Amino acid sequence: MPAPSASLGGASTDRRPRRAARILWPLGLAVAAAPFFMASPFYVHLAILTCLNVVIVSGLSLIARTGQLSFGHGAFVGLGAYGAVVTGMHLGWPFWLAALTGAAIACLCALVLGWVILRLRGVYFVLVTFAFAELVRLVLLDWPGITGGANGITGIPAAELFGFAFDTRHRFYGLALFCAIAALAFGLRLSRVPAGHAFDAVEQNAALAEASGLNVHRIQVRAFVIGCGIAGFAGALLAHYVGFVSPESFNLSLSISAIVMLVIGGRHSVWGPLIGALILTPLPELFRAAVNTQHIFYGAALILILRFLPDGLASLPARLRRPREGG
Amino acid sequence: MKIPLLAAGLGLALAATTVHAQQDTLRIGALVTLSGAGAAWGQGMQHAAELAADDVNAEGGLEVAGKRYKVEVIPYDDKYQANEAVTVANRLVFEDKVKYIIGPVGSAPVLAIQPITEKNGVIVMTLGFTPKALGPDKPYTFRPNVTTAEVSQPQIDWVVATRSIKKVGALFPNDETGQAIAKDLQAAYGKAGADLAATEFFERDRVDFVPLLTRIMAKRVDAIELDGNSPATAGLLVKQARELGFDGTIIRTGGPATQDIINVAGKEAAEGLLVHTPIDPSLPSTAAYIEKYDKKYKRAMNGFSPSFYDGTHLLFEAMRRAGTVDDTDRVRQELEKISGHKGALGEVSWTGKDRYGADHQLDAPFYVAEVKDGKEVIRARCTSGGCK
Amino acid sequence: MDFLLLLGQALVNGLVVGMLYLLMAVGFTLVFGVMRVVNFAHAEFYMLGAFGAFLLVTRLEVPFLASVLITFALAVCLGWLVEWLVLKPFRHDELNGMIATIGLAMILQNGALMVFGPDPQSMPAVVRGVTFVGDLVIPNSRLYVVMFSLAVLAALYVFLRHSRTGRSLRAVVEDLEIASAYGIRARLVYPLGFGIGVGLAAIAGALMAPLFSVSPFIGTAPMLKAFIVVIVGGLGSIPGAALAGLMLGIAESLAGTFLSSSTAEILIFALVIAMLVVRPSGLLGRPD
């Protein structure tokens, strides 16, 4: 999107994004690699959670890119987590199969729910995803035979791939980092192919998109299914890291955190999930003493960003650049 | 994109400060519920640890093997949720580097953190009622308060006999604690010759119990049992049951909550309530503790608090005898050997081998009291053998 | 207990609870109808209403009825202020407005946590005892709430039907463009609509404070019910909210009395989702 204006100013403005990139990429690499050298397990723990949040919010971002806001994202993370844990522990399936199954369960639920619900206007979709999330939580609570009920399931074994066990924090960080990068790469790729352009078209003006031949409903369902599948996969990872799942781990506050991260990071940018997760994951831990003040800041930040920077922090560079071009 | 740098810089700075604070301070974590249901218990536990710390700090610090340690209690709120407890345990064990934890309050939280604490040799003094919390495979977990398993049979025997109760109804939260207690009570009432005929499980946050109480009252029960519910919920149950016109006996076989029940339900509704209480205010040691608590915190003490005061002092004594604060394996072994300790509850020792496989349950006397005009009047004195 | 008696008792319990849901939902649907915003902060106004009544009664010893009215007035003013200061940029921006109310909810709830602490506090009962209708038992405190709710609803009805401001509000809900063409001033209508909507939530909170305890967390559960009621009744339809509120109360009470409480909840959610599939605009809402 910013490309057209950059070419107007000629060579000098053209170099700006490249110069920024030259600083950002090595910096990004350094930050990503840092946890491997950290001794304190707590900071590696934060890094892992951040990566998992990047994946979760990427899924949400995908859904948002077709103009729908899911208020039940946490439930799909939970479906993936429980799906992976139950098939892994009760059926003895290997981790990769169990995780994919978890994601598949999330996809299936999203398909059924989305097909029916995405016909409705945005507001209804929000309310239904909200109701669906509560329904999932109640079902998880009420099926102690399989889900362990309110107590959840403890003692989940570490993730294992072809004999290599991710049972130390540094190892798991490697896995989490890989998935986070994959999620971002997927988002990047999507914005360059026709399918991604179709998503954006639907978001900007659904009626126009429909008129120009795009099947809005099918596109939104596709985005919803993929987005929830990504969330489900993240859930499977989360479960095998924490070693414990309970219905309360995937309740409304997870869905709301994801939305807050997405909005503050940037709903329309591929980097939005990264920025949102990077800022909002470590903060609660670093400022655990001032929990309430913290949340007040988040609320205020949310409102301010919506008002003054609706495309989130990711749009900040573009916004700052714009005054210098074209007067 | 300075944000990641900023976060990393902040993180490093914090790491540096925590490393520095380790010298000659003994840090004890308080992983307790400070908000929502169960907060009364959590606060009681936190304050108990703090009072015990005050005791030794007043003497110049805890003296172990010739060195003096200032004791510091670090409290965190787990909101009675297992996943919060896991996050906090991570923080306490790996970031704050504590080796002793007071808490958690709930059964699900203690089970969730045990993989971390047992693996890292962190001694835990928990309130969690579930029998699964203690065992030969969990050498570092101890419980300083008596639970339903210890008190129910003697108390229920006494109550059923003296009040001629045949049919009992009960409501429990749908979680680990509630389910464990429901099972214990079912067995206990059965053995005493009564019948726990009506059991309802509800979601923890529920506040409207009228349909459930209607169902229970429809079965014509003589008494309603409140054990397993948080103090605030118990208050609501008493209030709503009396509002619906229930005039049978209301019993609470565990979990001290009388003050909260009276706050919520009012003195009139709470009149005649039969409650379990772990403390006898007429005992000099207990009276002294109550006074100490009142002086520092200016609010009523929760009945579980003295157990954790004694528990923390037992920890200190174990450290003294082991001659170390860092080698938790030796501390744990000394802790197990302590017997006849004179604490706020009276004289206490460890027990529990037959029930749990390990002597990590504190054995203390307890009492059945009747609430009269807003105060507990002790009607029977009990040990695990029986009540009189 | 006799089956008919149990059924009767369940119905009565359900009607009482239904009135409470109704009050909560009507305000919520009003806000949506006027401003097209799903107000996620509605729960916090309920909570603030409860605290308002609690403080007035216990600290300032104001009689209960007066406390409720004062709380209503304060809530309307607060709502007006909030709409004007915070929500104005988001009028008619459904998605962003909704997210903004999430931020608002976080601020209000955590503010309350900081001021009041997390522990539930209880308010002394307003009335004691029970009323017998034949063999059916109704706690007086709940009867009181029902009567008061009915009075509030009657007042709302009169306001919306017969006063000029009320009719402007209804016009805006019906059709904004035509209403503005007729000169109805958005500057007045929006803050008023929001204020009254959240004021109703505050009244619900104030009325229920003596029944249950008062803490910063009490808003979430009624909010969930309000969502359900409004979905089923139709977003923006006040009669729809009224009907659905009563239906939900009765359904919940019947299911809770005859089945287990958790099965009841699951059934209700499933029914709600089914309802949305079959008739998305709700019972009495307008299809669009």
Side-chain angles (χ1 to χ4, degrees):
Chain A
M1 241 28 126
S5 52
S7 61
L8 268 172
S12 53
T13 46
D14 217 358
R15 229 175 273 147
R16 239 178 239 272
R18 253 188 273 147
R19 208 181 290 155
R22 249 183 297 185
I23 307 176
L24 286 177
W25 280 111
L27 185 65
L29 228 66
V31 170
F36 285 116
F37 305 104
M38 283 185 200
S40 163
F42 185 64
Y43 291 108
V44 183
H45 171 71
L46 283 183
I48 294 177
L49 287 183
T50 307
C51 289
L52 291 178
N53 278 334
V54 169
V55 180
I56 294 176
V57 181
S58 296
L60 188 63
S61 158
L62 198 61
I63 304 172
R65 275 168 67 168
T66 57
Q68 297 281 24
L69 189 64
S70 167
F71 231 81
H73 210 59
F76 290 98
V77 177
L79 283 171
Y82 270 91
V85 169
V86 167
T87 50
M89 289 177 75
H90 291 210
L91 298 177
W93 289 0
F95 171 69
W96 63 272
L97 188 59
L100 284 175
T101 311
I105 293 179
C107 283
L108 195 62
C109 291
L111 182 61
V112 171
L113 188 69
W115 191 267
V116 159
I117 291 308
L118 278 162
R119 283 177 223 281
L120 307 174
R121 258 176 53 222
V123 165
Y124 286 97
F125 180 72
V126 167
L127 290 175
V128 173
T129 48
F130 185 88
F132 179 72
E134 270 299 292
L135 184 63
V136 167
R137 189 179 69 89
L138 286 173
V139 168
L140 288 175
L141 265 177
D142 227 42
W143 219 359
I146 299 191
T147 66
N151 315 318
I153 304 179
T154 53
I156 302 174
E160 210 187 272
L161 226 56
F162 311 114
F164 180 74
F166 294 94
D167 53 0
T168 72
R169 277 165 207 252
H170 287 118
R171 287 189 187 181
F172 197 87
Y173 176 67
L175 180 62
L177 183 65
F178 176 74
C179 294
I181 294 179
L184 289 172
F186 178 73
L188 259 175
R189 183 103 192 90
L190 196 62
S191 59
R192 306 219 170 127
V193 297
H197 294 159
F199 283 10
D200 293 326
V202 165
E203 176 188 20
Q204 301 200 340
N205 193 329
L208 188 60
E210 185 85 44
S212 57
L214 293 174
N215 186 334
V216 169
H217 183 238
R218 200 172 295 175
I219 291 177
Q220 287 185 330
V221 172
R222 203 175 292 163
F224 189 50
V225 170
I226 300 177
C228 291
I230 294 178
F233 189 74
L237 286 174
L238 188 63
H240 285 87
Y241 168 62
V242 175
F244 167 79
V245 284
S246 84
E248 297 306 325
S249 325
F250 306 109
N251 63 6
L252 211 55
S253 41
L254 181 58
S255 302
I256 292 185
S257 304
I259 292 179
V260 172
M261 279 188 247
L262 180 65
V263 171
I264 292 188
R267 250 177 296 179
H268 302 126
S269 158
V270 177
W271 304 107
L274 176 64
I275 300 173
L278 216 45
I279 298 181
L280 292 171
T281 314
L283 284 181
E285 287 308 317
L286 293 176
F287 296 112
R288 200 159 249 277
V291 169
N292 298 324
T293 340
Q294 214 184 85
H295 281 129
I296 294 184
F297 276 133
Y298 291 160
L302 200 57
I303 295 177
L304 288 170
I305 292 225
L306 282 170
R307 170 78 180 86
F308 297 111
L309 207 61
D311 290 332
L313 288 173
S315 64
L316 207 51
R319 283 283 205 111
L320 291 174
R321 232 182 287 145
R322 229 179 282 144
R324 290 170 226 237
E325 299 160 3
Chain B
M1 291 282 224
K2 300 201 209 86
I3 297 147
L5 249 179
L6 197 64
L10 256 172
L12 280 168
L14 272 168
T17 48
T18 44
V19 165
H20 235 266
Q22 296 275 45
Q23 299 167 328
D24 292 331
T25 310
L26 174 63
R27 308 161 111 210
I28 300 191
L31 207 180
V32 289
T33 305
L34 298 174
S35 62
W41 295 333
Q43 276 171 12
M45 290 158 71
Q46 177 194 340
H47 293 332
E50 288 169 350
L51 285 174
D54 287 347
D55 284 348
V56 297
N57 285 340
E59 295 169 3
L62 177 68
E63 179 163 3
V64 175
K67 261 180 100 172
R68 284 211 171 264
Y69 293 89
K70 175 163 175 287
V71 179
E72 190 189 327
V73 175
I74 307 180
Y76 287 116
D77 182 8
D78 73 349
K79 305 191 177 82
Y80 205 83
Q81 281 181 13
N83 48 311
E84 275 296 302
V86 169
T87 309
V88 170
N90 257 299
R91 174 141 201 179
L92 276 174
V93 173
F94 298 119
E95 173 66 11
D96 298 314
K97 300 220 188 332
V98 302
K99 294 202 155 304
Y100 307 96
I101 293 183
I102 306 288
V105 172
S107 296
V110 67
L111 292 179
I113 69 166
Q114 273 173 333
I116 304 176
T117 54
E118 292 293 325
K119 186 159 162 211
N120 290 281
V122 175
I123 297 186
V124 169
M125 287 259 169
T126 178
L127 185 135
F129 273 31
T130 173
K132 296 189 221 155
L134 304 180
D137 55 336
K138 300 182 178 172
Y140 292 94
T141 311
F142 294 80
R143 185 159 56 209
N145 57 290
V146 287
T147 73
T148 307
E150 279 80 41
V151 312
S152 53
Q153 198 63 64
Q155 289 195 208
I156 289 177
D157 283 340
W158 185 86
V159 168
V160 168
T162 54
R163 299 292 165 111
S164 329
I165 295 185
K166 302 261 174 333
K167 246 192 188 182
V168 184
L171 299 98
F172 303 102
N174 195 6
D175 61 16
E176 176 81 42
T177 315
Q179 286 163 7
I181 294 184
K183 258 193 1 216
D184 285 339
L185 290 178
Q186 191 96 42
Y189 275 106
K191 259 187 157 167
D195 180 24
L196 186 58
T199 319
E200 295 292 329
F201 286 95
F202 59 88
E203 240 198 75
R204 199 169 38 215
D205 294 325
R206 198 184 174 100
V207 288
D208 181 22
F209 301 102
V210 167
L212 303 176
L213 285 167
T214 309
R215 236 150 71 103
I216 289 184
M217 284 164 63
K219 302 213 177 122
R220 304 227 176 279
V221 295
D222 304 310
I224 295 184
E225 167 69 68
L226 293 177
D227 191 14
N229 289 294
S230 72
T233 310
L236 285 171
L237 283 169
V238 171
K239 181 176 187 167
Q240 292 173 14
R242 292 290 183 221
E243 277 180 347
L244 278 176
F246 180 72
D247 51 11
T249 320
I250 303 187
I251 310 172
R252 186 171 167 89
T253 306
T258 312
Q259 193 56 52
D260 300 82
I261 294 180
I262 294 178
N263 281 348
V264 174
K267 270 201 210 159
E268 232 180 87
E271 186 74 10
L273 211 61
L274 282 176
V275 294
H276 153 89
T277 175
I279 54 171
D280 177 5
S282 64
L283 265 180
S285 51
T286 314
Y289 178 73
I290 296 179
E291 209 190 296
K292 217 191 313 212
Y293 194 103
D294 189 47
K295 220 160 91 172
K296 180 165 181 189
Y297 298 108
K298 312 234 182 331
R299 45 172 20 164
M301 170 202 77
N302 176 269
F304 276 139
S305 194
S307 310
F308 285 86
Y309 176 73
D310 287 347
T312 316
H313 267 302
L314 279 166
L315 262 180
F316 292 154
E317 181 60 25
M319 286 184 231
R320 284 192 203 105
R321 293 191 190 183
T324 167
V325 301
D326 294 309
D327 186 349
T328 51
D329 195 37
R330 285 203 355 235
V331 175
R332 157 185 86 79
Q333 286 171 15
E334 288 301 326
L335 183 58
E336 285 171 354
K337 290 195 221 145
I338 302 180
S339 124
H341 173 87
K342 292 204 184 8
L345 291 173
E347 214 177 278
V348 294
S349 314
W350 295 111
T351 175
K353 198 151 197 164
D354 343 319
R355 205 194 297 270
Y356 307 112
D359 279 333
H360 283 201
Q361 169 70 51
L362 204 62
D363 189 16
F366 51 95
Y367 317 90
V368 178
E370 186 176 352
V371 177
K372 282 250 164 267
D373 193 33
K375 299 228 176 316
E376 286 177 351
V377 176
I378 293 189
R379 295 275 185 234
R381 290 165 193 283
C382 313
T383 62
S384 29
C387 290
K388 323 193 194 347
Chain C
M1 205 193 253
D2 184 19
F3 175 75
L4 271 175
L5 191 59
L6 194 58
L7 183 64
Q9 185 69 55
L11 278 171
V12 163
N13 293 342
L15 273 169
V16 169
V17 169
M19 286 301 300
L20 306 180
Y21 292 161
L22 200 167
L23 211 52
M24 186 74 174
V26 163
F28 185 62
T29 209
L30 183 63
V31 169
F32 182 78
V34 170
M35 303 170 55
R36 300 269 135 207
V37 161
V38 174
N39 180 20
F40 276 106
H42 213 68
E44 314 314 327
F45 285 98
Y46 171 92
M47 178 264 291
L48 288 174
F51 268 108
F54 171 71
L55 290 171
L56 283 169
V57 169
T58 56
R59 303 285 155 84
L60 296 177
E61 315 215 339
V62 179
F64 182 65
L65 240 53
S67 304
V68 176
L69 290 170
I70 297 177
T71 308
F72 173 69
L74 288 174
V76 172
C77 295
L78 181 64
W80 188 297
L81 218 66
V82 163
E83 202 283 331
W84 189 55
L85 287 174
V86 175
L87 295 176
K88 193 154 86 170
F90 305 109
R91 286 178 189 167
H92 286 273
D93 186 351
E94 282 180 16
L95 224 51
N96 286 339
M98 185 169 52
I99 304 178
T101 59
I102 297 177
L104 187 62
M106 287 170 87
I107 295 178
L108 289 174
Q109 190 182 79
N110 283 281
L113 266 171
M114 285 175 69
V115 173
F116 300 113
D119 298 321
Q121 322 214 29
S122 60
M123 222 172 107
V126 179
V127 282
R128 293 182 191 280
V130 293
T131 309
F132 283 96
V133 177
D135 269 334
L136 299 174
V137 178
I138 311 178
N140 280 350
S141 50
R142 299 193 177 212
L143 200 56
Y144 211 64
V145 170
V146 168
M147 290 187 333
F148 208 130
S149 313
L150 284 171
V152 166
L153 285 167
L156 185 68
Y157 178 77
V158 165
F159 171 72
L160 287 176
R161 265 272 129 110
H162 298 293
S163 81
R164 245 185 54 193
T165 0
R167 286 203 291 248
S168 332
L169 269 176
R170 275 175 52 219
V172 168
V173 174
E174 262 324 295
D175 193 322
L176 175 64
E177 289 190 48
I178 299 189
S180 349
Y182 272 87
I184 290 181
R185 294 190 333 219
R187 260 182 47 181
L188 196 60
V189 167
Y190 287 137
L192 186 66
F194 190 74
I196 294 185
V198 298
L200 288 170
I203 289 189
L207 285 177
M208 297 199 230
L211 290 184
F212 313 122
S213 20
V214 177
S215 91
F217 302 110
I218 55 173
T220 329
M223 184 67 186
L224 198 50
K225 307 290 187 209
F227 270 28
I228 297 178
V229 169
V230 161
I231 293 178
V232 171
L235 269 169
S237 159
I238 294 181
L243 184 61
L246 291 174
M247 281 171 59
L248 179 67
I250 295 179
E252 231 185 42
S253 177
L254 285 175
T257 311
F258 292 106
L259 308 167
S260 85
S261 101
S262 29
T263 323
E265 298 213 30
I266 294 183
L267 260 175
I268 288 181
F269 272 107
L271 277 170
V272 168
I273 297 186
M275 167 65 129
L276 263 170
V277 171
V278 164
R279 201 195 157 89
S281 50
L283 288 172
L284 295 177
R286 279 173 320 149
D288 41 22

